[in-house]
Amino acid sequence: MAGSREIRNKIRSIKNTQKITRAMEMVAASKMRKAQDRMRKARPYGEKIRNVAAHMSRASTEYHHPFLVERDTVKRIGVIVITSDKGLCGGLNTNVLRKALNQMRAWEAEGEQIEVCCIGNKGLGFMSRIGANVISQVTGLGDTPNIERLIGAIKIVLDGYTADRFDRVYIFYNRFVNTMKQEPTMEQLLPLSDERMSGEENDASQNKLWDYLYEPEAKPIIDDIMVRYVEALIYQAVTENMASEQSARMVAMKAASDNAGNLIDELTLIYNKSRQAAITKELSEIVGGAAAV
Amino acid sequence: MGTIFHLDIVSAEESIYSGPAEFMVAPALMGEVGIYPHHTPMLTRIRSGMVRIKAPLKDEESVYVSGGMLEVQPDIVTILADTAIRGEDLDEAKALEAKKRAEEAMKNKTSEIEYARAQAELMEAAAQLTAIQKLRKRGH
């Protein structure tokens, strides 16, 4: 009978854990729906501003924005790493950070200098642990990513690019494929690639070469549009990463609840067996005793 | 028909308005601009303020935008609204703040490592303590 109380205690503690993981699963499920909603809402802005930017880059020939110009030599690289603030979401952060780390090691082997901008607590912790040069960071974004919070950290990177501190800027985040699948993704942010600029566009406007009437002046407006476009791209990546985080957490917590259920079943079986064995033993002792008398 | 154009007001966080319009007024940087269909293609900055929209068969509507860009094409008008109040100085201040935070995090790195080490030592000590207690129990 010695083990039976221990087993019972263990079952109780696992049941408590299961309650927590179940609650977390449900919270993540409802947050995921909202995060996906936000991701979808951010899309029209990104598309519109891309169309405007693409049109401008074709139309205005006298001024080329630095974001559009490919540099010949690449010596210094800026990296933006987007991760979640909290853990308990499976291998989500690990996957994207491993991808970033491998890429950074490869770049370092080629003698390139790397500076990192971290969005999210997990990435920041990782980057400072491996001794990367972190130039700006945002953490604690909460459930609603606010573009206002991102502006500062992004500006450091964009200014660094304009001031020739970086020759290229890459972004690492988790792309949201569906609830079950999130893909760690690396994308080149700056200079803006042609495929990014062209996208799917109505071909009617593509053939006609017309330019806007800029009011008051072309250059500041083009600068503004370009900066906002890049910000929109990063914001979109952040919303995707957030949707990925919630769905990964939901899946991880579901697996944890299921495992706890299996464990409880097994332990209950063992508990019952040991109880039965004890009863049988007692009975045979009584019978043996009676026979001796 | 040619008497209406399509108007989209979008911000990075949501779509604010999307639909046909006969006429609209926006607070451009150089002063208010009224736009009818077939306006010359134009791109301008707008200040924060009300955008008035006259949709066909509807009363005039007003939408608040906190600044942004106004893009005009003959049949399509788009307002790319900012969600945050922007300004050169404000952006600069935010950038400095982000930089400072990063530098502080780099400085705190050593203390974090020390904290982790202390935690590890504490765990080890606790494990030793329980082991000693077990041994004593057995000894009695």
Side-chain angles (χ1 to χ4, degrees):
Chain A
M1 263 319 251
S4 74
R5 174 170 291 166
E6 276 166 31
I7 295 172
R8 224 166 39 211
N9 283 341
K10 210 172 212 174
I11 290 176
R12 204 186 316 136
S13 93
I14 292 171
K15 270 189 183 150
N16 285 337
T17 312
Q18 194 185 29
K19 269 182 214 155
I20 296 169
T21 54
R22 260 218 200 106
M24 284 184 79
E25 181 192 334
M26 277 185 277
V27 170
S30 87
K31 279 187 182 172
M32 181 188 78
R33 229 162 293 137
K34 281 184 206 145
Q36 281 183 24
D37 234 30
R38 260 193 300 277
M39 189 176 84
R40 245 168 262 131
K41 274 185 183 163
R43 262 177 204 156
Y45 182 83
E47 272 163 31
K48 295 277 181 222
I49 204 161
R50 204 223 7 244
N51 286 349
V52 175
H55 192 90
M56 268 183 348
S57 69
R58 269 198 305 275
S60 73
T61 41
E62 71 273 22
Y63 175 59
H64 283 285
H65 195 272
F67 289 178
L68 298 166
V69 181
E70 188 83 30
R71 310 233 169 116
D72 300 333
T73 51
V74 180
K75 278 247 174 71
R76 288 143 305 176
I77 292 175
V79 174
I80 299 176
V81 180
I82 301 174
T83 53
S84 71
D85 279 324
K86 290 174 188 148
L88 291 181
C89 46
L92 191 82
N93 291 321
T94 325
N95 285 344
V96 75
L97 288 174
R98 190 190 307 131
K99 198 179 176 84
L101 183 66
N102 287 343
Q103 193 62 50
M104 278 161 74
R105 291 268 177 276
W107 282 328
E108 262 168 19
E110 285 166 28
E112 278 150 15
Q113 284 170 5
I114 303 166
E115 286 181 311
V116 188
C117 163
C118 294
I119 300 175
N121 215 354
K122 291 278 157 188
L124 178 69
F126 179 80
M127 285 301 162
S128 52
R129 213 172 314 131
I130 63 164
N133 193 1
V134 181
I135 50 162
S136 66
Q137 56 131 320
V138 203
T139 56
L141 286 175
D143 296 327
T144 43
N146 199 332
I147 205 159
E148 208 175 334
R149 301 276 321 269
L150 300 173
I151 290 168
I154 296 170
K155 190 176 163 61
I156 300 245
V157 178
L158 297 188
D159 284 354
Y161 184 82
T162 336
D164 279 351
R165 206 162 122 204
F166 307 126
D167 299 317
R168 244 178 218 174
V169 177
Y170 289 88
I171 183 166
F172 290 89
Y173 68 102
N174 276 292
R175 203 161 60 83
F176 182 86
V177 184
N178 56 42
T179 314
M180 300 303 287
K181 195 163 180 249
Q182 298 86 37
E183 225 171 46
T185 312
M186 175 185 104
E187 276 172 15
Q188 181 179 325
L189 196 65
L190 295 176
L192 292 158
S193 52
D194 288 338
E195 61 199 279
R196 240 200 178 137
M197 295 305 281
S198 57
E200 77 283 357
E201 218 185 326
N202 20 354
D203 17 58
S205 64
Q206 204 140 22
N207 300 333
K208 274 182 270 166
L209 264 180
W210 47 271
D211 199 358
Y212 292 109
L213 196 75
Y214 296 98
E215 195 133 333
E217 244 181 296
K219 195 171 167 293
I221 291 178
I222 294 175
D223 287 351
D224 263 15
I225 289 269
M226 285 301 169
V227 169
R228 292 227 164 52
Y229 177 49
V230 174
E231 278 171 5
L233 285 175
I234 296 172
Y235 177 77
Q236 258 177 319
V238 170
T239 55
E240 285 219 12
N241 197 67
M242 224 154 245
S244 301
E245 177 196 346
Q246 295 301 348
S247 54
R249 179 166 298 133
M250 189 185 79
V251 171
M253 287 301 119
K254 186 166 172 37
S257 307
D258 290 352
N259 285 343
N262 288 342
L263 215 55
I264 289 169
D265 285 350
E266 274 170 37
L267 282 173
T268 314
L269 196 68
I270 293 170
Y271 172 69
N272 285 337
K273 268 187 185 160
S274 83
R275 192 172 52 91
Q276 278 172 347
I279 292 169
T280 315
K281 200 176 139 207
E282 218 169 292
L283 269 179
S284 68
E285 272 168 10
I286 291 167
V287 170
V293 173
Chain B
M1 288 240 296
T3 56
I4 55 163
F5 58 90
H6 187 81
L7 173 67
D8 281 309
I9 303 179
V10 289
S11 78
E13 281 161 22
E14 61 185 337
S15 173
I16 299 166
Y17 182 93
S18 178
E22 286 175 338
F23 173 63
M24 65 162 291
V25 178
L29 206 63
M30 311 286 285
E32 294 224 318
V33 286
I35 290 158
Y36 281 102
H38 299 292
H39 195 281
T40 319
M42 181 176 83
L43 200 60
T44 182
R45 251 193 270 193
I46 55 173
R47 292 169 300 168
S48 61
M50 300 306 273
V51 176
R52 284 185 286 140
I53 306 151
K54 174 75 183 81
L57 307 175
K58 268 195 216 160
D59 285 338
E60 207 176 76
E61 249 185 279
S62 287
V63 178
Y64 175 80
V65 289
S66 55
M69 293 283 172
L70 170 70
E71 188 224 6
V72 183
Q73 286 183 34
D75 303 319
I76 309 164
V77 175
T78 314
I79 292 180
L80 301 157
D82 288 338
T83 43
I85 298 161
R86 303 292 293 259
E88 197 59 36
D89 297 343
L90 271 172
D91 286 10
E92 197 69 50
K94 276 178 193 144
L96 279 173
E97 201 184 315
K99 199 171 168 183
K100 216 169 78 189
R101 274 201 309 270
E103 277 161 5
E104 267 166 27
M106 293 290 279
K107 257 187 241 155
N108 286 339
K109 199 173 66 180
T110 46
S111 69
E112 241 167 64
I113 290 168
E114 269 162 25
Y115 177 71
R117 188 178 295 150
Q119 213 173 15
E121 276 168 8
L122 191 72
M123 296 248 284
E124 209 172 317
Q128 278 172 351
L129 214 64
T130 48
I132 289 167
Q133 272 167 356
K134 267 186 192 165
L135 277 173
R136 274 203 191 141
K137 255 186 205 165
R138 209 173 288 169
H140 277 297

